[in-house]
Amino acid sequence: MNRQIYQRLKQALSLNLRRQVFIAVCDNQQLRNSIVENLQADLTNTIDYTEQQENSNKHILFVTLNLNLSNPNPVTQINQWFAENPQFQKTEEYQILGFQIIGIENLTKQPSAVQWSFISNLKKIETNLSKLESSILLWITKPWLNTIKQSAPEFWNWHTGIFEFEGDPTPITPRQKKSSFPNKTNPLSFSPSITSSPSINTVRPLMALEQKSYTVESKNSQAYLLPPAPQKLPELPIHYSQHQENIPQPELELVELANLVWAEISRKSGEEKNSLEKQKFQILKEIQELNKSQYPSQELALAYKTLGDFHRDRVLTGEVSEQSLIIAIRAYEMVIEWTFQDTGNVSQFSSSKIPVLDILNDLATLYWMLSRQIKSSKSDSLVYLERSIILYQMAMGEITPSQKDTYARLQKNLGLAYGDLATHQEAQQNWERSIIAYQEAIFYLDKVADAQDYATTLNNLGTAYWNLAQHTQEVEHLQGAISAYAEAIDYFTPEIEPLNYGMIQNNLGIAYWNLAQFQTEASETLILKAIDAYLIALKYRTSENLPLAYAATKNNLATAYWHLANQFEEHQIRSRLFHEAIAAYSQALTIAQQFSPSQLTFDLLATYQNIGLAYYQIAIEINTTLDKDSQISNLEAALDYHLLAHSDRLQTNINEIQEEQASVNLNYIIRIIRTFYSKYGIQGQNLALSKIPSNLLPKILVML
């Protein structure tokens, strides 16, 4: 595929059209460098001018330039190259085919002013191209691609073509002085038997301190909890009027902001509405007056900051809506835009009045929140999330060596954002990046002064390890999860923080249970540790205070009992443990049936199926002491639960996974009917068949 893309790119450049803007996307720097070298070699002296005698002696050049990070303006840099190399302007001897610009990915490591200067220069593409005769090829990474789409729509509308090369991203190198990775061991393979093991039905570890929610910190260390997403607003790109070339004119942005503000005010009523109108009208009026100024001013940036702070503060009070998020985002982006309009003007802004670091952090957090609010479009959510990550990285470029607490906070936020990104793409790589970020945060957090943050970050680190274990090096990363969870527990007092304490105990149980599936020689010990952790968690996650969390932990406990039973040969012990599993599953079902399936963090149908499997195991044990009536009763119970699972599946939206589960469950039903026949003859078979629903009976008879 890369070869084909390369040929298309080379052909497009070989056309030698004037003022074309091409974009090449490649996340792997080694691959990028190889393609850059090949392009320069292949395109130099490749155009055949033999048909035009007067140009037959012309030398064709394709030039590679490394982006000047002190003044990141590709067109200016190209013009400067011509000034330094006047011999190449002799058209009778030389023809410049184009310029390829590399090194744009290094902007991420530069101060925010440099990055925003680059974006601002791209926005001026229409004016700048008039000063250039050659084509431009920009080499960028995928995160920068999305940033350019959103932040420089003027440039994006001018680009001629885009060429995306496939390759693993160049990995982030962790700091060598700190590592939370345990020693490597070779994981043992584990393949559960369909007929003897319940479905893996475990709730995932929680990354935050609340069920099904996450925390990202802003400058006052507040947590964000997201309500259901409201109706979606228009797309986010920012547009400016172009009637003055040297100064960005945010009149259109102001109109759009005003419309959004009035739309939000219209949703309020009574005294609250009047109060909002007065406050926001005053801010908008001030911005409108300041916009008449011919030069960037600190006052205008401060006015936009006031508007952004107003909506940010409303978000912190729990009023999270797309409207508030977008207004705050756009206002803060205007602060950054005016502050960094010209890198030479940055010194005129007081860092105490325009706290760039805090604004970048808050802007990143608002984008992160918006990515979670956008439920209707995964592509929009991904763009906002990637932009959040870039903004966090930009904020780090503003940190001084003394700001260790701020650095730790940003790394925590970055770890969480990478965890979200892992659910969209490149799961393994992004979970690895998440772990590195959390490790950095832990390294700089004070265990005493920041005990709460330290424990929360350890919990998130454990969950990142758990997720990474689902993709690679299971034993190593599950051990890392257990180590992080076990340390986090020491920082929570159950009497003071019972819910957090119970959550981490549940997470620890999950990690122990998972590890038992790979370390079979120690599986009994690990499962017992999982059961102990679940039982402790259930002291604090009760059916009264946290019913959904209680049901999830009960379901986990039942699965652990199920697997523990398979560690023993003695029937009485196995039977007792299977009964413990059934009791725990049943308690989970009792609570779960009070909620919709979308609210649950475990598969309700798999729980029905697992209860059926447990009853079946009790009934068929060799040398069983059960009498005939007890055996029949257990077989009937097994059949009843498998039929419940099958009927409920038929009532849900069937996808490929559910269809496969339904097929497996049907085989379980057939197996139970055959067991009835083998133990109790035709009378037993008829008893089993009498329970089969009429719509399912023809299919069952054919399979028998």
Side-chain angles (χ1 to χ4, degrees):
M1 183 185 299
N2 283 344
R3 290 194 191 96
Q4 294 173 1
I5 295 170
Y6 176 80
Q7 293 300 326
R8 291 202 298 269
L9 174 58
K10 187 172 74 170
Q11 184 178 11
L13 291 166
S14 298
L15 295 175
N16 197 25
L17 301 175
R18 298 168 58 212
R19 300 173 185 170
Q20 302 301 299
V21 179
F22 299 101
I23 298 173
V25 183
C26 186
D27 286 339
N28 186 293
Q29 290 184 22
Q30 185 176 359
L31 173 63
R32 190 278 314 275
N33 292 340
S34 175
I35 298 173
V36 165
E37 292 176 3
N38 288 340
L39 271 178
Q40 185 167 338
D42 290 350
L43 291 176
T44 299
N45 292 322
T46 57
I47 298 181
D48 186 5
Y49 282 91
T50 55
E51 295 182 5
Q52 302 177 18
Q53 187 63 37
E54 65 275 14
N55 292 328
S56 59
N57 295 322
K58 194 172 285 188
H59 297 282
I60 308 302
L61 295 178
F62 186 67
V63 182
T64 302
L65 298 178
N66 208 314
L67 184 68
N68 180 4
L69 298 179
S70 62
N71 181 20
N73 188 335
V75 175
T76 298
Q77 194 168 343
I78 291 171
N79 289 330
Q80 184 179 355
W81 183 88
F82 277 118
E84 295 172 354
N85 299 275
Q87 69 273 23
F88 296 116
Q89 292 181 337
K90 298 177 181 179
T91 56
E92 66 275 8
E93 294 183 27
Y94 296 100
Q95 172 67 46
I96 303 297
L97 191 61
F99 292 82
Q100 57 180 340
I101 310 297
I102 63 173
I104 294 172
E105 71 280 356
N106 294 326
L107 285 169
T108 304
K109 304 173 184 177
Q110 301 303 309
S112 310
V114 176
Q115 300 184 44
W116 282 95
S117 175
F118 175 69
I119 293 295
S120 295
N121 288 326
L122 291 186
K123 291 179 179 180
K124 303 171 185 175
I125 187 67
E126 184 174 4
T127 301
N128 289 335
L129 274 183
S130 63
K131 306 172 186 176
L132 190 67
E133 294 297 317
S134 305
S135 295
I136 302 177
L137 171 62
L138 292 185
W139 283 94
I140 59 177
T141 57
K142 288 181 181 177
W144 270 103
L145 174 66
N146 289 312
T147 296
I148 290 172
K149 283 183 183 178
Q150 292 292 314
S151 298
E154 300 89 345
F155 173 83
W156 185 252
N157 292 335
W158 265 86
H159 86 278
T160 308
I162 181 168
F163 302 84
E164 297 193 51
F165 294 89
E166 294 298 325
D168 293 333
T170 301
I172 297 174
T173 304
R175 297 189 303 106
Q176 297 298 317
K177 69 182 198 176
K178 177 77 173 179
S179 176
S180 298
F181 281 93
N183 293 329
K184 291 185 178 181
T185 56
N186 293 323
L188 299 175
S189 61
F190 173 77
S191 53
S193 168
I194 290 180
T195 58
S196 61
S197 295
S199 303
I200 295 177
N201 191 14
T202 293
V203 62
R204 299 165 66 84
L206 304 177
M207 290 199 72
L209 298 182
E210 297 293 338
Q211 179 83 3
K212 280 193 169 181
S213 67
Y214 293 68
T215 58
V216 163
E217 295 191 355
S218 185
K219 57 191 174 192
N220 62 355
S221 299
Q222 291 289 330
Y224 297 106
L225 303 179
L226 307 184
Q231 185 176 0
K232 186 180 177 184
L233 284 178
E235 296 296 320
L236 196 60
I238 300 172
H239 300 279
Y240 306 101
S241 61
Q242 300 294 325
H243 58 271
Q244 295 187 40
E245 294 181 0
N246 298 324
I247 304 174
Q249 298 295 322
E251 285 87 350
L252 292 179
E253 175 68 16
L254 177 59
V255 171
E256 190 176 15
L257 272 173
N259 288 338
L260 289 171
V261 168
W262 297 132
E264 186 181 43
I265 291 175
S266 66
R267 295 167 51 225
K268 307 295 180 181
S269 59
E271 295 181 4
E272 182 185 18
K273 181 175 181 178
N274 293 331
S275 175
L276 280 175
E277 286 178 347
K278 290 179 181 178
Q279 295 178 64
K280 295 184 181 180
F281 180 77
Q282 185 175 358
I283 298 172
L284 290 171
K285 185 177 180 180
E286 181 183 359
I287 291 174
Q288 187 175 24
E289 291 298 320
L290 289 168
N291 266 308
K292 298 176 181 178
S293 171
Q294 296 299 306
Y295 302 98
S297 68
Q298 187 178 33
E299 289 74 20
L300 182 58
L302 286 170
Y304 275 112
K305 178 181 176 296
T306 302
L307 182 62
D309 287 346
F310 181 89
H311 286 274
R312 171 190 171 279
D313 292 342
R314 295 186 70 83
V315 168
L316 291 178
T317 63
E319 293 188 31
V320 182
S321 66
E322 283 189 31
Q323 288 93 333
S324 291
L325 291 173
I326 291 177
I327 293 170
I329 284 171
R330 289 177 172 170
Y332 279 146
E333 286 192 329
M334 291 307 297
V335 175
I336 299 297
E337 184 72 26
W338 281 99
T339 304
F340 292 153
Q341 171 59 26
D342 187 340
T343 55
N345 291 334
V346 176
S347 60
Q348 72 169 299
F349 296 103
S350 168
S351 60
S352 61
K353 293 184 178 180
I354 305 292
V356 172
L357 174 56
D358 286 336
I359 290 176
L360 287 172
N361 176 65
D362 287 354
L363 188 55
T365 300
L366 290 163
Y367 265 119
W368 174 85
M369 296 181 71
L370 186 60
S371 76
R372 291 184 145 258
Q373 286 286 85
I374 301 293
K375 305 296 184 183
S376 57
S377 172
K378 288 185 178 180
S379 61
D380 286 350
S381 177
L382 180 59
V383 168
Y384 299 145
L385 185 56
E386 289 180 329
R387 198 167 196 194
S388 171
I389 288 172
I390 288 177
L391 285 163
Y392 281 133
Q393 292 171 335
M394 290 171 65
M396 287 183 196
E398 298 293 316
I399 290 178
T400 63
S402 62
Q403 295 175 297
K404 294 181 179 180
D405 292 341
T406 303
Y407 177 76
R409 184 180 72 227
L410 285 169
Q411 288 288 2
K412 284 194 301 179
N413 291 351
L414 191 59
L416 183 54
Y418 272 127
D420 273 17
L421 187 59
T423 65
H424 290 273
Q425 62 186 25
E426 299 173 352
Q428 179 178 330
Q429 293 91 332
N430 283 314
W431 282 122
E432 288 172 348
R433 291 165 182 160
S434 179
I435 287 171
I436 291 170
Y438 286 136
Q439 287 173 337
E440 286 287 295
I442 289 170
F443 186 80
Y444 286 99
L445 283 171
D446 189 318
K447 296 182 181 180
V448 178
D450 303 315
Q452 180 77 29
D453 288 344
Y454 189 79
T456 303
T457 308
L458 280 170
N459 174 63
N460 288 356
L461 174 63
T463 300
Y465 270 129
W466 185 91
N467 280 284
L468 184 57
Q470 313 309 305
H471 301 280
T472 182
Q473 296 177 311
E474 297 90 350
V475 171
E476 175 185 353
H477 295 137
L478 286 170
Q479 287 173 339
I482 290 169
S483 176
Y485 288 140
E487 186 179 354
I489 287 175
D490 293 338
Y491 291 88
F492 288 108
T493 304
E495 292 77 17
I496 299 175
E497 298 172 286
L499 303 185
N500 296 339
Y501 186 82
M503 178 203 66
I504 297 181
Q505 287 286 4
N506 178 71
N507 290 354
L508 185 60
I510 293 171
Y512 275 128
W513 180 86
N514 274 144
L515 186 58
Q517 312 309 307
F518 299 98
Q519 289 192 326
T520 54
E521 72 282 357
S523 58
E524 180 182 335
T525 301
L526 292 170
I527 293 173
L528 285 170
K529 287 183 178 180
I531 290 172
D532 287 342
Y534 290 142
L535 290 173
I536 294 172
L538 287 167
K539 293 179 181 178
Y540 308 100
R541 314 180 86 181
T542 67
S543 58
E544 291 78 21
N545 68 352
L546 286 175
L548 286 169
Y550 169 85
T553 304
K554 275 289 185 181
N555 188 76
N556 294 347
L557 176 64
T559 301
Y561 276 132
W562 209 108
H563 281 89
L564 184 61
N566 289 324
Q567 302 295 314
F568 297 93
E569 295 183 0
E570 186 179 346
H571 169 69
Q572 289 183 339
I573 297 177
R574 287 169 58 82
S575 179
R576 179 171 61 81
L577 291 171
F578 281 131
H579 278 296
E580 292 280 7
I582 291 169
Y585 277 135
S586 299
Q587 290 165 334
L589 280 178
T590 300
I591 299 297
Q593 288 166 346
Q594 302 172 23
F595 298 90
S596 66
S598 62
Q599 293 177 280
L600 302 177
T601 55
F602 61 95
D603 184 354
L604 192 61
L605 302 180
T607 300
Y608 283 127
Q609 184 173 293
N610 292 348
I611 295 176
L613 288 170
Y615 274 121
Y616 182 79
Q617 287 296 126
I618 294 171
I620 66 167
E621 289 289 336
I622 300 175
N623 299 324
T624 179
T625 57
L626 294 177
D627 55 37
K628 178 180 177 181
D629 290 341
S630 296
Q631 281 187 323
I632 291 176
S633 176
N634 281 286
L635 284 172
E636 285 185 299
L639 183 58
D640 288 341
Y641 276 99
H642 282 301
L643 288 172
L644 277 172
H646 196 81
S647 63
D648 279 359
R649 277 198 175 87
L650 294 179
Q651 295 171 17
T652 60
N653 295 324
I654 299 296
N655 56 36
E656 289 184 7
I657 295 177
Q658 289 177 319
E659 199 170 315
E660 183 179 347
Q661 288 178 331
S663 177
V664 171
N665 192 67
L666 197 60
N667 288 331
Y668 288 149
I669 293 172
I670 296 295
R671 183 180 63 175
I672 294 172
I673 296 172
R674 286 175 174 159
T675 302
F676 265 108
Y677 177 77
S678 65
K679 285 183 175 292
Y680 310 113
I682 193 68
Q683 184 178 1
Q685 176 178 285
N686 289 338
L687 174 62
L689 290 174
S690 68
K691 292 178 170 290
I692 305 298
S694 57
N695 62 324
L696 187 59
L697 193 57
K699 192 172 184 178
I700 292 289
L701 292 175
V702 171
M703 295 177 71
L704 284 173

